[in-house]
């Protein structure tokens, strides 16, 4: 990973495009078991990042993740705002304590996901974005331990993210608005799991082109 986030503008644009392209589908999901505003919330955050993207690319990763987290927290709103914001702020905090490279990124991302778990008082299996974030974080850690090549990691991460997203379909929601529906939440994919998967897949597409 380069020391300066020169790729960030491209990453942010691609992530924002992925969410826009799939906006109707995700909104439909969120209308079934949420209140239908997840994409609008997220797009507010992504638009704010779009406006900051050149500025962000001048920072180092620690400062960029911190700024992104604060921006997401203050613009997204909803449950997801503080959760996505916490992910980046916590990644920044952990990255301050070690050099950033392929190996340490797994630990940095894991710390971010752990902070999301704490913040939302949720864990895997509760039909949320964590059902994508946790398996991806776990896979990255295993891949580092097993010395898996970057090419193989980039080939596998999308599969892990998609499997995690799909797994929410048959879960009973126990956190967030969907939990109010109890059994009626069964059979529907969680919107935050779908957007998390779309964003991760978009990031991997860019990294594959490098
Ligand atoms: P809100 O539910 O406040 O309207 P959003 O619609 O923006 O917020 O986001 C909803 C998404 O947030 C859900 O689809 C779910 O993935 C995620 N979510 C909600 N509560 C939690 C939680 N406690 N922990 C992790 N993720 C959560
Ligand atoms: Mg909502």
């Amino acid at each position: 990973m380069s020391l300066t986030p020169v790729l960030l503008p491209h990453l942010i644009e691609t992530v924002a495009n992925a969410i826009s392209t799939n906006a109707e589908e995700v909104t439909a999901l969120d209308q079934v078991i949420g209140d239908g505003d997840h994409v609008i919330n997220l797009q507010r955050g992504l638009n704010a990042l779009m406006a900051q993207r050149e500025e962000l690319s001048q920072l180092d990763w620690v400062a960029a993740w911190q700024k992104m987290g604060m921006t997401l927290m203050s613009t997204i709103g909803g449950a997801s705002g503080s959760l996505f914001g916490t992910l980046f702020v916590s990644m920044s905090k952990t990255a301050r304590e070690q050099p950033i490279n392929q190996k340490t990124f797994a630990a940095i991302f894991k710390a971010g996901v752990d902070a999301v778990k704490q913040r939302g008082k949720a864990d895997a299996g509760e039909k949320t974005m964590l059902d994508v974030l946790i398996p991806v974080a776990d896979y990255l850690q295993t891949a580092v331990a097993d010395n898996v090549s970057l090419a193989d990691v980039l080939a596998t991460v999308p599969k892990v993210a998609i499997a995690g997203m799909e797994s929410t379909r048959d879960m009973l929601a126990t956190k967030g608005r969907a939990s109010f529906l109890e059994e009626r939440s069964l059979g529907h994919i969680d919107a935050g799991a779908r957007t998390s998967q779309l964003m991760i897949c978009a990031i991997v597409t860019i990294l594959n082109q490098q």
Side-chain angles (χ1 to χ4, degrees):
M1 195 178 290
S2 69
L3 276 181
T4 54
V6 283
L7 263 185
L8 257 185
H10 196 193
L11 287 167
I12 292 168
E13 284 158 22
T14 309
V15 164
N17 279 338
I19 297 302
S20 293
T21 307
N22 294 280
E24 278 184 31
E25 180 220 299
V26 182
T27 297
L29 293 176
D30 196 34
Q31 279 166 345
V32 185
I33 57 171
D35 56 356
D37 64 352
H38 179 59
V39 167
I40 294 168
N41 291 342
L42 187 54
Q43 283 182 322
R44 243 189 341 265
L46 292 171
N47 287 340
L49 293 186
M50 282 289 273
Q52 295 174 347
R53 66 195 192 281
E54 295 305 332
E55 191 189 334
L56 286 166
S57 71
Q58 309 295 315
L59 305 173
D60 59 24
W61 281 105
V62 169
W65 282 330
Q66 171 72 21
K67 191 172 172 66
M68 289 169 75
M70 297 310 286
T71 298
L72 293 175
M73 269 185 206
S74 63
T75 56
I76 297 185
S80 60
S82 69
L83 298 170
F84 284 131
T86 296
L87 177 70
F88 284 98
V89 169
S90 170
M91 282 174 62
S92 169
K93 203 166 150 239
T94 312
R96 249 173 258 156
E97 293 150 14
Q98 55 201 316
I100 304 173
N101 55 46
Q102 263 176 54
K103 281 207 159 79
T104 58
F105 181 78
I108 292 168
F109 186 69
K110 166 98 168 47
V113 175
D114 282 344
V116 174
K117 284 163 72 169
Q118 273 191 351
R119 174 91 210 172
K121 298 187 177 58
D123 212 325
E126 296 195 271
K127 202 179 184 89
T128 71
M129 60 173 73
L130 285 168
D131 292 305
V132 171
L133 299 178
I134 292 172
V136 169
D138 288 349
Y139 169 71
L140 289 177
Q141 292 232 293
T142 315
V144 167
D146 295 349
N147 268 320
V148 179
S149 71
L150 180 60
D152 286 348
V153 170
L154 293 177
T156 306
V157 164
K159 293 180 191 162
V160 174
I162 290 169
M165 175 273 290
E166 293 279 358
S167 75
T168 65
R169 192 193 305 271
D170 297 323
M171 287 176 186
L172 193 66
T174 45
K175 289 281 151 50
R177 290 179 198 282
S179 63
F180 307 151
L181 295 174
E182 298 179 348
E183 273 75 26
R184 280 174 291 149
S185 69
L186 288 172
H188 305 285
I189 287 168
D190 172 65
R194 177 69 168 136
T195 55
S196 297
Q197 172 261 311
L198 286 168
M199 293 192 279
I200 288 168
C201 288
I203 290 166
V204 169
T205 309
I206 301 303
L207 298 181
N208 263 323
Q209 292 163 3
Q210 300 313 301

